[in-house]
mmCIF file of all heavy atoms in Angstrom:
data_model
loop_
_atom_site.group_PDB
_atom_site.id
_atom_site.type_symbol
_atom_site.label_atom_id
_atom_site.label_comp_id
_atom_site.label_asym_id
_atom_site.label_seq_id
_atom_site.Cartn_x
_atom_site.Cartn_y
_atom_site.Cartn_z
ATOM 1 N N GLY A 1 26.694 -10.575 51.025
ATOM 2 C CA GLY A 1 25.744 -11.196 51.939
ATOM 3 C C GLY A 1 26.286 -12.524 52.421
ATOM 4 O O GLY A 1 26.872 -13.278 51.640
ATOM 5 N N ILE A 2 26.102 -12.811 53.717
ATOM 6 C CA ILE A 2 26.528 -14.087 54.286
ATOM 7 C C ILE A 2 25.316 -14.996 54.455
ATOM 8 O O ILE A 2 24.313 -14.605 55.054
ATOM 9 C CB ILE A 2 27.180 -13.907 55.667
ATOM 10 C CG1 ILE A 2 28.329 -12.923 55.610
ATOM 11 C CG2 ILE A 2 27.664 -15.236 56.223
ATOM 12 C CD1 ILE A 2 28.945 -12.662 56.977
ATOM 13 N N ASP A 3 25.433 -16.200 53.929
ATOM 14 C CA ASP A 3 24.418 -17.214 54.193
ATOM 15 C C ASP A 3 24.627 -17.678 55.631
ATOM 16 O O ASP A 3 25.658 -18.279 55.961
ATOM 17 C CB ASP A 3 24.567 -18.392 53.224
ATOM 18 C CG ASP A 3 23.456 -19.410 53.353
ATOM 19 O OD1 ASP A 3 23.123 -19.779 54.508
ATOM 20 O OD2 ASP A 3 22.927 -19.870 52.332
ATOM 21 N N LEU A 4 23.675 -17.389 56.503
ATOM 22 C CA LEU A 4 23.849 -17.653 57.925
ATOM 23 C C LEU A 4 23.753 -19.128 58.284
ATOM 24 O O LEU A 4 24.063 -19.519 59.410
ATOM 25 C CB LEU A 4 22.825 -16.850 58.732
ATOM 26 C CG LEU A 4 22.915 -15.329 58.579
ATOM 27 C CD1 LEU A 4 21.890 -14.645 59.478
ATOM 28 C CD2 LEU A 4 24.318 -14.824 58.897
ATOM 29 N N LEU A 5 23.356 -19.959 57.321
ATOM 30 C CA LEU A 5 23.279 -21.397 57.565
ATOM 31 C C LEU A 5 24.508 -22.147 57.071
ATOM 32 O O LEU A 5 24.851 -23.203 57.589
ATOM 33 C CB LEU A 5 22.020 -21.975 56.908
ATOM 34 C CG LEU A 5 20.694 -21.466 57.474
ATOM 35 C CD1 LEU A 5 19.530 -21.924 56.607
ATOM 36 C CD2 LEU A 5 20.506 -21.928 58.904
ATOM 37 N N THR A 6 25.187 -21.595 56.067
ATOM 38 C CA THR A 6 26.351 -22.284 55.488
ATOM 39 C C THR A 6 27.654 -21.523 55.660
ATOM 40 O O THR A 6 28.734 -22.100 55.547
ATOM 41 C CB THR A 6 26.137 -22.544 53.987
ATOM 42 O OG1 THR A 6 26.128 -21.276 53.286
ATOM 43 C CG2 THR A 6 24.827 -23.274 53.725
ATOM 44 N N GLY A 7 27.571 -20.198 55.885
ATOM 45 C CA GLY A 7 28.769 -19.380 55.987
ATOM 46 C C GLY A 7 29.276 -18.852 54.659
ATOM 47 O O GLY A 7 30.207 -18.051 54.625
ATOM 48 N N LYS A 8 28.672 -19.289 53.560
ATOM 49 C CA LYS A 8 29.124 -18.826 52.243
ATOM 50 C C LYS A 8 28.853 -17.335 52.076
ATOM 51 O O LYS A 8 27.784 -16.842 52.450
ATOM 52 C CB LYS A 8 28.412 -19.601 51.126
ATOM 53 C CG LYS A 8 28.794 -19.137 49.718
ATOM 54 C CD LYS A 8 28.069 -19.936 48.647
ATOM 55 C CE LYS A 8 28.309 -19.370 47.249
ATOM 56 N NZ LYS A 8 29.723 -19.406 46.854
ATOM 57 N N VAL A 9 29.828 -16.634 51.495
ATOM 58 C CA VAL A 9 29.685 -15.200 51.235
ATOM 59 C C VAL A 9 29.400 -14.989 49.750
ATOM 60 O O VAL A 9 30.178 -15.422 48.892
ATOM 61 C CB VAL A 9 30.951 -14.421 51.634
ATOM 62 C CG1 VAL A 9 30.784 -12.937 51.322
ATOM 63 C CG2 VAL A 9 31.267 -14.620 53.105
ATOM 64 N N HIS A 10 28.286 -14.354 49.445
ATOM 65 C CA HIS A 10 27.953 -13.958 48.076
ATOM 66 C C HIS A 10 28.394 -12.510 47.913
ATOM 67 O O HIS A 10 28.117 -11.675 48.777
ATOM 68 C CB HIS A 10 26.448 -14.074 47.824
ATOM 69 C CG HIS A 10 25.893 -15.446 48.071
ATOM 70 N ND1 HIS A 10 25.953 -16.456 47.133
ATOM 71 C CD2 HIS A 10 25.277 -15.976 49.176
ATOM 72 C CE1 HIS A 10 25.384 -17.543 47.628
ATOM 73 N NE2 HIS A 10 24.968 -17.272 48.863
ATOM 74 N N ALA A 11 29.078 -12.191 46.818
ATOM 75 C CA ALA A 11 29.625 -10.835 46.710
ATOM 76 C C ALA A 11 29.710 -10.348 45.275
ATOM 77 O O ALA A 11 29.890 -11.128 44.333
ATOM 78 C CB ALA A 11 31.013 -10.781 47.350
ATOM 79 N N LEU A 12 29.567 -9.026 45.147
ATOM 80 C CA LEU A 12 29.807 -8.309 43.902
ATOM 81 C C LEU A 12 30.647 -7.081 44.238
ATOM 82 O O LEU A 12 30.484 -6.486 45.300
ATOM 83 C CB LEU A 12 28.505 -7.834 43.255
ATOM 84 C CG LEU A 12 27.564 -8.849 42.616
ATOM 85 C CD1 LEU A 12 26.280 -8.147 42.160
ATOM 86 C CD2 LEU A 12 28.236 -9.542 41.439
ATOM 87 N N VAL A 13 31.522 -6.686 43.330
ATOM 88 C CA VAL A 13 32.271 -5.438 43.483
ATOM 89 C C VAL A 13 31.930 -4.563 42.283
ATOM 90 O O VAL A 13 32.123 -4.960 41.140
ATOM 91 C CB VAL A 13 33.792 -5.685 43.544
ATOM 92 C CG1 VAL A 13 34.538 -4.355 43.667
ATOM 93 C CG2 VAL A 13 34.133 -6.582 44.732
ATOM 94 N N ARG A 14 31.402 -3.383 42.563
ATOM 95 C CA ARG A 14 30.991 -2.477 41.504
ATOM 96 C C ARG A 14 31.443 -1.050 41.833
ATOM 97 O O ARG A 14 31.832 -0.744 42.954
ATOM 98 C CB ARG A 14 29.465 -2.506 41.331
ATOM 99 C CG ARG A 14 28.935 -3.860 40.870
ATOM 100 C CD ARG A 14 29.375 -4.147 39.451
ATOM 101 N NE ARG A 14 28.858 -5.417 38.939
ATOM 102 C CZ ARG A 14 29.530 -6.560 38.950
ATOM 103 N NH1 ARG A 14 30.752 -6.598 39.482
ATOM 104 N NH2 ARG A 14 29.011 -7.664 38.448
ATOM 105 N N ASP A 15 31.361 -0.162 40.842
ATOM 106 C CA ASP A 15 31.752 1.231 41.060
ATOM 107 C C ASP A 15 30.805 1.938 42.028
ATOM 108 O O ASP A 15 31.221 2.808 42.799
ATOM 109 C CB ASP A 15 31.779 1.999 39.733
ATOM 110 C CG ASP A 15 32.965 1.621 38.865
ATOM 111 O OD1 ASP A 15 33.903 0.994 39.386
ATOM 112 O OD2 ASP A 15 32.944 1.947 37.670
ATOM 113 N N ARG A 16 29.526 1.557 41.989
ATOM 114 C CA ARG A 16 28.527 2.208 42.819
ATOM 115 C C ARG A 16 27.606 1.158 43.427
ATOM 116 O O ARG A 16 27.749 -0.051 43.149
ATOM 117 C CB ARG A 16 27.728 3.221 41.979
ATOM 118 C CG ARG A 16 28.607 4.300 41.363
ATOM 119 C CD ARG A 16 27.843 5.179 40.386
ATOM 120 N NE ARG A 16 26.817 5.990 41.040
ATOM 121 C CZ ARG A 16 26.017 6.833 40.401
ATOM 122 N NH1 ARG A 16 26.122 6.979 39.095
ATOM 123 N NH2 ARG A 16 25.112 7.532 41.062
ATOM 124 N N HIS A 17 26.635 1.612 44.248
ATOM 125 C CA HIS A 17 25.687 0.660 44.838
ATOM 126 C C HIS A 17 24.273 1.244 44.763
ATOM 127 O O HIS A 17 23.608 1.461 45.763
ATOM 128 C CB HIS A 17 26.072 0.303 46.276
ATOM 129 C CG HIS A 17 26.185 1.463 47.214
ATOM 130 N ND1 HIS A 17 27.206 2.365 47.162
ATOM 131 C CD2 HIS A 17 25.388 1.859 48.239
ATOM 132 C CE1 HIS A 17 27.047 3.269 48.101
ATOM 133 N NE2 HIS A 17 25.940 2.990 48.771
ATOM 134 N N ARG A 18 23.823 1.443 43.530
ATOM 135 C CA ARG A 18 22.483 1.947 43.265
ATOM 136 C C ARG A 18 21.498 0.782 43.184
ATOM 137 O O ARG A 18 21.850 -0.371 43.437
ATOM 138 C CB ARG A 18 22.470 2.737 41.961
ATOM 139 C CG ARG A 18 23.424 3.932 41.938
ATOM 140 C CD ARG A 18 23.719 4.365 40.514
ATOM 141 N NE ARG A 18 24.430 3.312 39.776
ATOM 142 C CZ ARG A 18 24.799 3.398 38.513
ATOM 143 N NH1 ARG A 18 24.500 4.490 37.816
ATOM 144 N NH2 ARG A 18 25.447 2.407 37.932
ATOM 145 N N SER A 19 20.269 1.090 42.780
ATOM 146 C CA SER A 19 19.249 0.050 42.635
ATOM 147 C C SER A 19 19.681 -1.008 41.625
ATOM 148 O O SER A 19 19.473 -2.206 41.847
ATOM 149 C CB SER A 19 17.924 0.676 42.193
ATOM 150 O OG SER A 19 17.419 1.549 43.168
ATOM 151 N N ARG A 20 20.277 -0.579 40.529
ATOM 152 C CA ARG A 20 20.647 -1.559 39.501
ATOM 153 C C ARG A 20 21.698 -2.542 40.005
ATOM 154 O O ARG A 20 21.671 -3.730 39.653
ATOM 155 C CB ARG A 20 21.131 -0.852 38.236
ATOM 156 C CG ARG A 20 22.424 -0.077 38.363
ATOM 157 C CD ARG A 20 22.737 0.681 37.092
ATOM 158 N NE ARG A 20 21.743 1.724 36.852
ATOM 159 C CZ ARG A 20 21.791 2.565 35.815
ATOM 160 N NH1 ARG A 20 22.776 2.467 34.938
ATOM 161 N NH2 ARG A 20 20.866 3.486 35.672
ATOM 162 N N GLU A 21 22.627 -2.058 40.847
ATOM 163 C CA GLU A 21 23.626 -2.964 41.411
ATOM 164 C C GLU A 21 22.992 -3.897 42.443
ATOM 165 O O GLU A 21 23.354 -5.078 42.532
ATOM 166 C CB GLU A 21 24.777 -2.178 42.055
ATOM 167 C CG GLU A 21 25.742 -1.546 41.069
ATOM 168 C CD GLU A 21 25.246 -0.229 40.490
ATOM 169 O OE1 GLU A 21 24.331 0.386 41.101
ATOM 170 O OE2 GLU A 21 25.760 0.203 39.442
ATOM 171 N N PHE A 22 22.038 -3.368 43.218
ATOM 172 C CA PHE A 22 21.355 -4.215 44.192
ATOM 173 C C PHE A 22 20.543 -5.297 43.494
ATOM 174 O O PHE A 22 20.552 -6.470 43.913
ATOM 175 C CB PHE A 22 20.451 -3.366 45.087
ATOM 176 C CG PHE A 22 19.698 -4.167 46.115
ATOM 177 C CD1 PHE A 22 20.371 -4.989 47.006
ATOM 178 C CD2 PHE A 22 18.312 -4.089 46.192
ATOM 179 C CE1 PHE A 22 19.680 -5.725 47.961
ATOM 180 C CE2 PHE A 22 17.621 -4.818 47.148
ATOM 181 C CZ PHE A 22 18.304 -5.641 48.029
ATOM 182 N N VAL A 23 19.853 -4.931 42.426
ATOM 183 C CA VAL A 23 19.099 -5.926 41.654
ATOM 184 C C VAL A 23 20.053 -6.971 41.072
ATOM 185 O O VAL A 23 19.737 -8.169 41.044
ATOM 186 C CB VAL A 23 18.282 -5.243 40.535
ATOM 187 C CG1 VAL A 23 17.735 -6.282 39.558
ATOM 188 C CG2 VAL A 23 17.145 -4.424 41.130
ATOM 189 N N GLU A 24 21.219 -6.533 40.643
ATOM 190 C CA GLU A 24 22.222 -7.470 40.128
ATOM 191 C C GLU A 24 22.616 -8.472 41.220
ATOM 192 O O GLU A 24 22.797 -9.662 40.956
ATOM 193 C CB GLU A 24 23.450 -6.711 39.629
ATOM 194 C CG GLU A 24 24.467 -7.580 38.918
ATOM 195 C CD GLU A 24 25.666 -6.800 38.402
ATOM 196 O OE1 GLU A 24 25.679 -5.553 38.534
ATOM 197 O OE2 GLU A 24 26.608 -7.433 37.875
ATOM 198 N N PHE A 25 22.750 -7.975 42.455
ATOM 199 C CA PHE A 25 23.075 -8.876 43.557
ATOM 200 C C PHE A 25 21.930 -9.852 43.812
ATOM 201 O O PHE A 25 22.163 -11.050 44.067
ATOM 202 C CB PHE A 25 23.381 -8.080 44.824
ATOM 203 C CG PHE A 25 23.775 -8.956 45.982
ATOM 204 C CD1 PHE A 25 25.089 -9.368 46.136
ATOM 205 C CD2 PHE A 25 22.824 -9.386 46.904
ATOM 206 C CE1 PHE A 25 25.459 -10.191 47.190
ATOM 207 C CE2 PHE A 25 23.185 -10.216 47.967
ATOM 208 C CZ PHE A 25 24.501 -10.616 48.103
ATOM 209 N N LEU A 26 20.694 -9.363 43.774
ATOM 210 C CA LEU A 26 19.538 -10.243 43.964
ATOM 211 C C LEU A 26 19.501 -11.324 42.887
ATOM 212 O O LEU A 26 19.156 -12.482 43.168
ATOM 213 C CB LEU A 26 18.246 -9.437 43.949
ATOM 214 C CG LEU A 26 18.037 -8.454 45.109
ATOM 215 C CD1 LEU A 26 16.723 -7.703 44.924
ATOM 216 C CD2 LEU A 26 18.054 -9.184 46.449
ATOM 217 N N LYS A 27 19.874 -10.961 41.674
ATOM 218 C CA LYS A 27 19.925 -11.949 40.589
ATOM 219 C C LYS A 27 20.997 -12.997 40.875
ATOM 220 O O LYS A 27 20.829 -14.185 40.552
ATOM 221 C CB LYS A 27 20.202 -11.253 39.255
ATOM 222 C CG LYS A 27 19.041 -10.425 38.733
ATOM 223 C CD LYS A 27 19.396 -9.735 37.416
ATOM 224 C CE LYS A 27 18.218 -8.917 36.883
ATOM 225 N NZ LYS A 27 18.554 -8.201 35.621
#
């Protein structure tokens, strides 16, 4: 995800992109 106000990119790399990985990103 890109912070549209600062340009910073938040990122995770995982084997899959299920709900648990999305929740991990939200955390």
Side-chain angles (χ1 to χ4, degrees):
I2 305 177
D3 186 314
L4 299 183
L5 296 171
T6 67
K8 178 180 173 62
V9 179
H10 303 277
L12 289 175
V13 179
R14 296 292 182 264
D15 287 345
R16 301 172 67 180
H17 57 288
R18 301 160 296 179
S19 296
R20 66 185 66 178
E21 285 81 19
F22 179 56
V23 168
E24 187 179 356
F25 182 85
L26 294 178
K27 289 179 179 178

